[in-house]
Amino acid sequence: MPEPMPTARDLLAFYLEAGVDCALSDTPVDRLSEEPAAEIQPTARPTLFRTANLAPPPPPVDPAPVPDAAIQSARDLAPQAATLEELRGLLDRFDGCALKSTATRLVFADGNPQANIMFIGEAPGRDEDLAGLPFVGRSGKLLDLMMAAIGLDRTSAYIANIIPWRPPGNRDPSPHETQICLPFIRRQIQLVDPDVIVCLGKPSSQAILDLKDGIMKTRGRWFDYDTGTRRIKAMATFHPAYLLRQPIYKRLVWQDLRAVRKALQG
Ligand code: URA
């Protein structure tokens, strides 16, 4: 017997399961019926008139990478915020990151801006995008437990992400999106001015601490985060979402958290 046709509800459930939970345009596009991209024909070569004894051009000098306009604009804007509220306002008006147009709202921060510890994740997911607060979904519940293990909660810790808008379908933020958002989270760190930073997961620790190694190598070690005026102790540990998939590593996170508690006690 042929399989019954899936209903629209079945298909939507399938998309949701696959992480496709927001539309990028108002009208559907049938990509399957699109013509394959036409092959690009090489344009006719201009005739080259060779001049005898023409000196070969000098080898190209590797220019320093020039930041693109969005990165540059973020770098110019972020330091102008004198308070966290101003920074939130700047981000709300900033149109340089395309993620803003697919996200429901800005996810700026949660917790206590006077806290002496700041946790930094990667980017909001679906629950955070709806609530406008970081770490409120399943991994947020685990982060709450991790904090509680060392006597912290959202009244005694500050929580933010490198990227303040949810990437569509929870895809990884691109390196370019990360570079655009980095000046803002750096300014957020300066304004909160905690004594300890905990980077949750590889993307956060690589972006904030400028590390190349993966989290297995970097977790549990102390690094200095330089705000430009002060050095802050920073630790990388596993992201709670990773711990939900690999609970065996909770043991190592417990070690990291104990070191964090000790650092907070001075
Ligand atoms: N994962 C993150 O990195 N941040 C959140 O806010 C939620 C999930």
mmCIF file of all heavy atoms in Angstrom, residues 88 107-113 115 117-122 128 132-136 140 143-144 147 152-162 185 188 192 198 200 240:
data_model
loop_
_atom_site.group_PDB
_atom_site.id
_atom_site.type_symbol
_atom_site.label_atom_id
_atom_site.label_comp_id
_atom_site.label_asym_id
_atom_site.label_seq_id
_atom_site.Cartn_x
_atom_site.Cartn_y
_atom_site.Cartn_z
ATOM 1 N N ARG A 88 22.744 48.744 24.744
ATOM 2 C CA ARG A 88 21.549 48.029 24.268
ATOM 3 C C ARG A 88 20.843 48.846 23.173
ATOM 4 O O ARG A 88 20.445 48.321 22.129
ATOM 5 C CB ARG A 88 20.579 47.793 25.438
ATOM 6 C CG ARG A 88 19.338 47.016 25.052
ATOM 7 C CD ARG A 88 18.252 47.202 26.079
ATOM 8 N NE ARG A 88 18.513 46.497 27.311
ATOM 9 C CZ ARG A 88 18.074 45.261 27.584
ATOM 10 N NH1 ARG A 88 17.360 44.631 26.698
ATOM 11 N NH2 ARG A 88 18.356 44.694 28.732
ATOM 12 N N VAL A 107 18.611 39.901 21.956
ATOM 13 C CA VAL A 107 18.797 39.201 23.238
ATOM 14 C C VAL A 107 20.070 39.790 23.842
ATOM 15 O O VAL A 107 21.179 39.422 23.455
ATOM 16 C CB VAL A 107 18.933 37.679 23.011
ATOM 17 C CG1 VAL A 107 19.195 36.968 24.327
ATOM 18 C CG2 VAL A 107 17.666 37.134 22.358
ATOM 19 N N PHE A 108 19.899 40.750 24.727
ATOM 20 C CA PHE A 108 21.058 41.533 25.181
ATOM 21 C C PHE A 108 21.766 40.873 26.362
ATOM 22 O O PHE A 108 22.959 40.576 26.283
ATOM 23 C CB PHE A 108 20.591 42.945 25.535
ATOM 24 C CG PHE A 108 21.701 43.871 25.918
ATOM 25 C CD1 PHE A 108 22.666 44.246 24.993
ATOM 26 C CD2 PHE A 108 21.792 44.377 27.208
ATOM 27 C CE1 PHE A 108 23.706 45.097 25.341
ATOM 28 C CE2 PHE A 108 22.818 45.235 27.571
ATOM 29 C CZ PHE A 108 23.774 45.592 26.636
ATOM 30 N N ALA A 109 21.049 40.635 27.444
ATOM 31 C CA ALA A 109 21.695 40.089 28.639
ATOM 32 C C ALA A 109 20.655 39.726 29.669
ATOM 33 O O ALA A 109 19.491 40.101 29.563
ATOM 34 C CB ALA A 109 22.647 41.123 29.243
ATOM 35 N N ASP A 110 21.090 38.989 30.666
ATOM 36 C CA ASP A 110 20.250 38.748 31.842
ATOM 37 C C ASP A 110 21.174 38.785 33.053
ATOM 38 O O ASP A 110 22.397 38.694 32.922
ATOM 39 C CB ASP A 110 19.552 37.376 31.725
ATOM 40 C CG ASP A 110 18.391 37.247 32.721
ATOM 41 O OD1 ASP A 110 17.966 38.271 33.279
ATOM 42 O OD2 ASP A 110 17.914 36.123 32.930
ATOM 43 N N GLY A 111 20.573 38.902 34.215
ATOM 44 C CA GLY A 111 21.373 38.865 35.431
ATOM 45 C C GLY A 111 21.683 40.239 35.956
ATOM 46 O O GLY A 111 21.059 41.224 35.572
ATOM 47 N N ASN A 112 22.678 40.262 36.818
ATOM 48 C CA ASN A 112 22.998 41.473 37.567
ATOM 49 C C ASN A 112 24.217 42.186 36.966
ATOM 50 O O ASN A 112 25.325 41.645 37.000
ATOM 51 C CB ASN A 112 23.287 41.058 39.023
ATOM 52 C CG ASN A 112 23.526 42.258 39.912
ATOM 53 O OD1 ASN A 112 23.693 43.376 39.426
ATOM 54 N ND2 ASN A 112 23.530 42.015 41.210
ATOM 55 N N PRO A 113 24.036 43.386 36.422
ATOM 56 C CA PRO A 113 25.172 44.100 35.806
ATOM 57 C C PRO A 113 26.253 44.477 36.828
ATOM 58 O O PRO A 113 27.365 44.830 36.440
ATOM 59 C CB PRO A 113 24.542 45.360 35.212
ATOM 60 C CG PRO A 113 23.075 45.214 35.349
ATOM 61 C CD PRO A 113 22.777 44.124 36.331
ATOM 62 N N ALA A 115 27.313 42.296 39.017
ATOM 63 C CA ALA A 115 27.918 41.022 39.449
ATOM 64 C C ALA A 115 29.425 41.020 39.194
ATOM 65 O O ALA A 115 29.913 41.723 38.303
ATOM 66 C CB ALA A 115 27.263 39.875 38.684
ATOM 67 N N ILE A 117 30.928 38.287 38.262
ATOM 68 C CA ILE A 117 31.191 37.200 37.309
ATOM 69 C C ILE A 117 30.265 37.337 36.101
ATOM 70 O O ILE A 117 29.089 37.685 36.248
ATOM 71 C CB ILE A 117 31.040 35.811 37.977
ATOM 72 C CG1 ILE A 117 31.350 34.707 36.954
ATOM 73 C CG2 ILE A 117 29.662 35.600 38.602
ATOM 74 C CD1 ILE A 117 31.648 33.358 37.593
ATOM 75 N N MET A 118 30.851 37.079 34.918
ATOM 76 C CA MET A 118 30.066 37.188 33.679
ATOM 77 C C MET A 118 30.211 35.898 32.893
ATOM 78 O O MET A 118 31.333 35.449 32.635
ATOM 79 C CB MET A 118 30.593 38.380 32.877
ATOM 80 C CG MET A 118 29.914 38.606 31.557
ATOM 81 S SD MET A 118 30.338 40.266 30.950
ATOM 82 C CE MET A 118 29.540 40.250 29.362
ATOM 83 N N PHE A 119 29.093 35.275 32.521
ATOM 84 C CA PHE A 119 29.088 34.075 31.682
ATOM 85 C C PHE A 119 28.779 34.510 30.249
ATOM 86 O O PHE A 119 27.842 35.295 30.032
ATOM 87 C CB PHE A 119 28.014 33.089 32.152
ATOM 88 C CG PHE A 119 28.343 32.424 33.463
ATOM 89 C CD1 PHE A 119 28.028 33.034 34.674
ATOM 90 C CD2 PHE A 119 28.975 31.187 33.490
ATOM 91 C CE1 PHE A 119 28.336 32.427 35.886
ATOM 92 C CE2 PHE A 119 29.281 30.570 34.698
ATOM 93 C CZ PHE A 119 28.959 31.196 35.902
ATOM 94 N N ILE A 120 29.553 33.995 29.299
ATOM 95 C CA ILE A 120 29.329 34.393 27.900
ATOM 96 C C ILE A 120 29.121 33.155 27.027
ATOM 97 O O ILE A 120 30.005 32.287 26.931
ATOM 98 C CB ILE A 120 30.514 35.231 27.362
ATOM 99 C CG1 ILE A 120 30.770 36.424 28.287
ATOM 100 C CG2 ILE A 120 30.217 35.699 25.929
ATOM 101 C CD1 ILE A 120 31.958 37.267 27.901
ATOM 102 N N GLY A 121 27.947 33.081 26.420
ATOM 103 C CA GLY A 121 27.638 31.972 25.517
ATOM 104 C C GLY A 121 27.855 32.393 24.075
ATOM 105 O O GLY A 121 28.494 33.414 23.785
ATOM 106 N N GLU A 122 27.263 31.620 23.159
ATOM 107 C CA GLU A 122 27.520 31.882 21.743
ATOM 108 C C GLU A 122 26.431 32.782 21.128
ATOM 109 O O GLU A 122 26.692 33.919 20.770
ATOM 110 C CB GLU A 122 27.588 30.551 20.990
ATOM 111 C CG GLU A 122 27.922 30.729 19.518
ATOM 112 C CD GLU A 122 27.918 29.431 18.750
ATOM 113 O OE1 GLU A 122 27.421 28.422 19.285
ATOM 114 O OE2 GLU A 122 28.421 29.422 17.622
ATOM 115 N N GLU A 128 15.303 31.688 23.554
ATOM 116 C CA GLU A 128 15.875 32.984 23.943
ATOM 117 C C GLU A 128 15.364 34.091 23.022
ATOM 118 O O GLU A 128 15.073 35.208 23.446
ATOM 119 C CB GLU A 128 17.407 32.920 23.873
ATOM 120 C CG GLU A 128 18.060 32.048 24.935
ATOM 121 C CD GLU A 128 17.929 30.546 24.686
ATOM 122 O OE1 GLU A 128 17.706 30.151 23.526
ATOM 123 O OE2 GLU A 128 18.048 29.770 25.663
ATOM 124 N N GLY A 132 13.637 37.037 24.619
ATOM 125 C CA GLY A 132 14.495 38.225 24.660
ATOM 126 C C GLY A 132 15.515 38.158 25.782
ATOM 127 O O GLY A 132 16.100 39.172 26.171
ATOM 128 N N LEU A 133 15.761 36.962 26.304
ATOM 129 C CA LEU A 133 16.739 36.774 27.395
ATOM 130 C C LEU A 133 17.649 35.598 27.067
ATOM 131 O O LEU A 133 17.176 34.596 26.501
ATOM 132 C CB LEU A 133 16.023 36.462 28.714
ATOM 133 C CG LEU A 133 15.214 37.600 29.331
ATOM 134 C CD1 LEU A 133 14.386 37.069 30.492
ATOM 135 C CD2 LEU A 133 16.143 38.721 29.795
ATOM 136 N N PRO A 134 18.937 35.675 27.427
ATOM 137 C CA PRO A 134 19.835 34.572 27.127
ATOM 138 C C PRO A 134 19.620 33.380 28.056
ATOM 139 O O PRO A 134 19.214 33.549 29.217
ATOM 140 C CB PRO A 134 21.229 35.175 27.348
ATOM 141 C CG PRO A 134 21.029 36.277 28.305
ATOM 142 C CD PRO A 134 19.635 36.806 28.051
ATOM 143 N N PHE A 135 19.893 32.204 27.541
ATOM 144 C CA PHE A 135 19.910 30.967 28.337
ATOM 145 C C PHE A 135 18.626 30.760 29.150
ATOM 146 O O PHE A 135 18.657 30.678 30.376
ATOM 147 C CB PHE A 135 21.141 30.948 29.261
ATOM 148 C CG PHE A 135 22.408 30.639 28.524
ATOM 149 C CD1 PHE A 135 23.299 31.643 28.176
ATOM 150 C CD2 PHE A 135 22.717 29.335 28.157
ATOM 151 C CE1 PHE A 135 24.461 31.360 27.477
ATOM 152 C CE2 PHE A 135 23.874 29.038 27.455
ATOM 153 C CZ PHE A 135 24.751 30.049 27.112
ATOM 154 N N VAL A 136 17.509 30.704 28.435
ATOM 155 C CA VAL A 136 16.259 30.384 29.131
ATOM 156 C C VAL A 136 15.703 29.017 28.709
ATOM 157 O O VAL A 136 14.755 28.529 29.302
ATOM 158 C CB VAL A 136 15.170 31.471 28.913
ATOM 159 C CG1 VAL A 136 15.559 32.771 29.562
ATOM 160 C CG2 VAL A 136 14.882 31.663 27.436
ATOM 161 N N GLY A 140 19.820 26.671 29.193
ATOM 162 C CA GLY A 140 19.764 27.697 30.236
ATOM 163 C C GLY A 140 19.446 27.103 31.595
ATOM 164 O O GLY A 140 20.001 27.520 32.619
ATOM 165 N N LEU A 143 22.536 25.709 32.779
ATOM 166 C CA LEU A 143 23.445 26.772 33.233
ATOM 167 C C LEU A 143 23.030 27.230 34.637
ATOM 168 O O LEU A 143 23.889 27.465 35.503
ATOM 169 C CB LEU A 143 23.430 27.953 32.252
ATOM 170 C CG LEU A 143 24.290 29.145 32.660
ATOM 171 C CD1 LEU A 143 25.771 28.760 32.797
ATOM 172 C CD2 LEU A 143 24.150 30.304 31.668
ATOM 173 N N ASP A 144 21.723 27.344 34.876
ATOM 174 C CA ASP A 144 21.258 27.727 36.215
ATOM 175 C C ASP A 144 21.761 26.734 37.266
ATOM 176 O O ASP A 144 22.196 27.117 38.353
ATOM 177 C CB ASP A 144 19.716 27.786 36.257
ATOM 178 C CG ASP A 144 19.177 29.032 35.540
ATOM 179 O OD1 ASP A 144 19.938 29.995 35.370
ATOM 180 O OD2 ASP A 144 18.003 29.019 35.141
ATOM 181 N N MET A 147 25.472 27.225 37.825
ATOM 182 C CA MET A 147 25.741 28.398 38.666
ATOM 183 C C MET A 147 25.380 28.089 40.120
ATOM 184 O O MET A 147 26.130 28.430 41.043
ATOM 185 C CB MET A 147 24.938 29.601 38.159
ATOM 186 C CG MET A 147 25.408 30.103 36.811
ATOM 187 S SD MET A 147 24.767 31.741 36.374
ATOM 188 C CE MET A 147 23.014 31.509 36.398
ATOM 189 N N LEU A 152 25.720 30.571 42.872
ATOM 190 C CA LEU A 152 25.345 31.742 42.066
ATOM 191 C C LEU A 152 23.957 31.573 41.473
ATOM 192 O O LEU A 152 23.493 30.450 41.271
ATOM 193 C CB LEU A 152 26.336 31.930 40.903
ATOM 194 C CG LEU A 152 27.789 32.202 41.252
ATOM 195 C CD1 LEU A 152 28.646 32.142 39.992
ATOM 196 C CD2 LEU A 152 27.931 33.582 41.898
ATOM 197 N N ASP A 153 23.329 32.684 41.159
ATOM 198 C CA ASP A 153 22.094 32.650 40.377
ATOM 199 C C ASP A 153 22.047 33.939 39.561
ATOM 200 O O ASP A 153 23.040 34.676 39.493
ATOM 201 C CB ASP A 153 20.850 32.468 41.259
ATOM 202 C CG ASP A 153 20.702 33.605 42.260
ATOM 203 O OD1 ASP A 153 21.296 34.681 42.037
ATOM 204 O OD2 ASP A 153 19.991 33.430 43.262
ATOM 205 N N ARG A 154 20.904 34.218 38.970
ATOM 206 C CA ARG A 154 20.842 35.374 38.071
ATOM 207 C C ARG A 154 20.813 36.714 38.809
ATOM 208 O O ARG A 154 20.780 37.765 38.184
ATOM 209 C CB ARG A 154 19.676 35.223 37.093
ATOM 210 C CG ARG A 154 19.946 34.070 36.134
ATOM 211 C CD ARG A 154 18.889 33.886 35.078
ATOM 212 N NE ARG A 154 19.160 32.633 34.357
ATOM 213 C CZ ARG A 154 19.191 32.488 33.043
ATOM 214 N NH1 ARG A 154 18.938 33.520 32.269
ATOM 215 N NH2 ARG A 154 19.460 31.315 32.495
ATOM 216 N N THR A 155 20.791 36.664 40.142
ATOM 217 C CA THR A 155 20.929 37.935 40.866
ATOM 218 C C THR A 155 22.392 38.203 41.204
ATOM 219 O O THR A 155 22.751 39.304 41.597
ATOM 220 C CB THR A 155 20.115 37.945 42.181
ATOM 221 O OG1 THR A 155 20.703 36.981 43.073
ATOM 222 C CG2 THR A 155 18.660 37.609 41.955
ATOM 223 N N SER A 156 23.231 37.177 41.055
ATOM 224 C CA SER A 156 24.644 37.369 41.428
ATOM 225 C C SER A 156 25.591 37.107 40.251
ATOM 226 O O SER A 156 26.810 37.093 40.425
ATOM 227 C CB SER A 156 25.005 36.443 42.602
ATOM 228 O OG SER A 156 24.589 35.123 42.322
ATOM 229 N N ALA A 157 25.050 36.896 39.070
ATOM 230 C CA ALA A 157 25.895 36.694 37.883
ATOM 231 C C ALA A 157 25.266 37.451 36.720
ATOM 232 O O ALA A 157 24.068 37.745 36.728
ATOM 233 C CB ALA A 157 25.974 35.203 37.548
ATOM 234 N N TYR A 158 26.089 37.782 35.736
ATOM 235 C CA TYR A 158 25.614 38.474 34.527
ATOM 236 C C TYR A 158 25.828 37.524 33.353
ATOM 237 O O TYR A 158 26.862 36.846 33.282
ATOM 238 C CB TYR A 158 26.408 39.767 34.349
ATOM 239 C CG TYR A 158 25.934 40.662 33.231
ATOM 240 C CD1 TYR A 158 24.850 41.531 33.416
ATOM 241 C CD2 TYR A 158 26.574 40.668 31.995
ATOM 242 C CE1 TYR A 158 24.423 42.373 32.388
ATOM 243 C CE2 TYR A 158 26.149 41.509 30.974
ATOM 244 C CZ TYR A 158 25.074 42.355 31.176
ATOM 245 O OH TYR A 158 24.644 43.194 30.172
ATOM 246 N N ILE A 159 24.860 37.461 32.447
ATOM 247 C CA ILE A 159 24.902 36.468 31.363
ATOM 248 C C ILE A 159 24.653 37.156 30.022
ATOM 249 O O ILE A 159 23.689 37.917 29.879
ATOM 250 C CB ILE A 159 23.807 35.391 31.577
ATOM 251 C CG1 ILE A 159 23.973 34.749 32.951
ATOM 252 C CG2 ILE A 159 23.857 34.338 30.488
ATOM 253 C CD1 ILE A 159 22.787 33.902 33.369
ATOM 254 N N ALA A 160 25.523 36.876 29.060
ATOM 255 C CA ALA A 160 25.328 37.452 27.719
ATOM 256 C C ALA A 160 25.858 36.468 26.679
ATOM 257 O O ALA A 160 26.378 35.395 27.023
ATOM 258 C CB ALA A 160 26.049 38.794 27.609
ATOM 259 N N ASN A 161 25.722 36.821 25.429
ATOM 260 C CA ASN A 161 26.224 36.003 24.322
ATOM 261 C C ASN A 161 27.124 36.846 23.425
ATOM 262 O O ASN A 161 26.989 38.070 23.402
ATOM 263 C CB ASN A 161 25.052 35.506 23.464
ATOM 264 C CG ASN A 161 24.306 34.361 24.112
ATOM 265 O OD1 ASN A 161 24.900 33.364 24.492
ATOM 266 N ND2 ASN A 161 22.991 34.515 24.249
ATOM 267 N N ILE A 162 27.970 36.200 22.642
ATOM 268 C CA ILE A 162 28.774 36.976 21.677
ATOM 269 C C ILE A 162 27.844 37.587 20.638
ATOM 270 O O ILE A 162 28.003 38.724 20.232
ATOM 271 C CB ILE A 162 29.766 36.087 20.886
ATOM 272 C CG1 ILE A 162 30.449 35.070 21.762
ATOM 273 C CG2 ILE A 162 30.803 36.923 20.165
ATOM 274 C CD1 ILE A 162 31.195 34.053 20.931
ATOM 275 N N ILE A 185 30.191 43.005 22.335
ATOM 276 C CA ILE A 185 30.340 42.194 23.557
ATOM 277 C C ILE A 185 31.601 42.636 24.314
ATOM 278 O O ILE A 185 31.628 42.650 25.542
ATOM 279 C CB ILE A 185 30.327 40.658 23.261
ATOM 280 C CG1 ILE A 185 30.385 39.832 24.557
ATOM 281 C CG2 ILE A 185 31.423 40.227 22.334
ATOM 282 C CD1 ILE A 185 29.165 39.887 25.400
ATOM 283 N N GLN A 188 30.508 45.468 26.255
ATOM 284 C CA GLN A 188 29.640 44.983 27.345
ATOM 285 C C GLN A 188 30.510 44.489 28.504
ATOM 286 O O GLN A 188 30.212 44.762 29.669
ATOM 287 C CB GLN A 188 28.756 43.850 26.802
ATOM 288 C CG GLN A 188 27.425 43.707 27.486
ATOM 289 C CD GLN A 188 26.476 42.800 26.696
ATOM 290 O OE1 GLN A 188 26.737 42.490 25.533
ATOM 291 N NE2 GLN A 188 25.401 42.372 27.304
ATOM 292 N N VAL A 192 30.436 46.047 32.286
ATOM 293 C CA VAL A 192 30.089 45.221 33.461
ATOM 294 C C VAL A 192 31.307 45.130 34.380
ATOM 295 O O VAL A 192 31.195 45.153 35.598
ATOM 296 C CB VAL A 192 29.616 43.813 33.024
ATOM 297 C CG1 VAL A 192 29.372 42.916 34.229
ATOM 298 C CG2 VAL A 192 28.343 43.923 32.201
ATOM 299 N N VAL A 198 33.510 33.653 32.438
ATOM 300 C CA VAL A 198 33.466 32.231 32.065
ATOM 301 C C VAL A 198 32.930 32.146 30.636
ATOM 302 O O VAL A 198 31.800 32.562 30.358
ATOM 303 C CB VAL A 198 32.570 31.410 33.016
ATOM 304 C CG1 VAL A 198 32.543 29.944 32.580
ATOM 305 C CG2 VAL A 198 33.063 31.526 34.457
ATOM 306 N N LEU A 200 31.542 30.036 27.706
ATOM 307 C CA LEU A 200 30.852 28.750 27.594
ATOM 308 C C LEU A 200 31.016 28.202 26.178
ATOM 309 O O LEU A 200 30.420 28.731 25.229
ATOM 310 C CB LEU A 200 29.374 28.925 27.933
ATOM 311 C CG LEU A 200 29.112 29.417 29.358
ATOM 312 C CD1 LEU A 200 27.685 29.913 29.521
ATOM 313 C CD2 LEU A 200 29.409 28.299 30.370
ATOM 314 N N PRO A 240 26.727 24.400 28.202
ATOM 315 C CA PRO A 240 25.701 23.493 28.747
ATOM 316 C C PRO A 240 24.988 22.673 27.666
ATOM 317 O O PRO A 240 24.592 21.533 27.933
ATOM 318 C CB PRO A 240 24.731 24.419 29.477
ATOM 319 C CG PRO A 240 25.184 25.809 29.240
ATOM 320 C CD PRO A 240 26.546 25.783 28.669
#
